[in-house]
Amino acid sequence: MTWSYWAGAGGVSLPVLILLFYALRRARGVMEMLLKAHIATRAEREQRATMVAMAQSLPDGGAAARFEQGQRNTSSVGTR
């Protein structure tokens, strides 16, 4: 078996192989984009978890600096 047999002697198989090559290149770019987005999301979650842990280690659990769901939690501070 020679390379011309595997390539289909320039018939239908070669264009299919070329299309497959370009499709894989495009898929690789999409996968890289998705991987970068996933890594960025994980980094943000880790930063958020670190900030929460730091706030909880403060006196009163960091009640003066605690934010929950976009609203400041002032119930334990005593002033409203």
Side-chain angles (χ1 to χ4, degrees):
M1 291 185 209
T2 62
W3 66 269
S4 61
Y5 172 79
W6 289 107
V12 175
S13 297
L14 191 57
V16 169
L17 289 175
I18 292 171
L19 285 173
L20 181 63
F21 172 74
Y22 284 108
L24 288 174
R25 283 184 60 190
R26 171 100 30 167
R28 182 178 143 216
V30 170
M31 289 302 295
E32 286 178 2
M33 183 183 65
L34 291 173
L35 182 62
K36 284 180 185 179
H38 179 69
I39 289 172
T41 302
R42 297 223 12 185
E44 290 173 8
R45 286 182 186 165
E46 184 176 340
Q47 287 176 350
R48 192 175 306 123
T50 301
M51 301 246 326
V52 167
M54 287 172 45
Q56 289 176 346
S57 70
L58 294 172
D60 285 335
R66 186 180 304 145
F67 289 84
E68 294 180 2
Q69 297 177 356
Q71 296 180 353
R72 200 160 107 183
N73 181 7
T74 58
S75 60
S76 61
V77 174
T79 59
R80 275 204 133 179

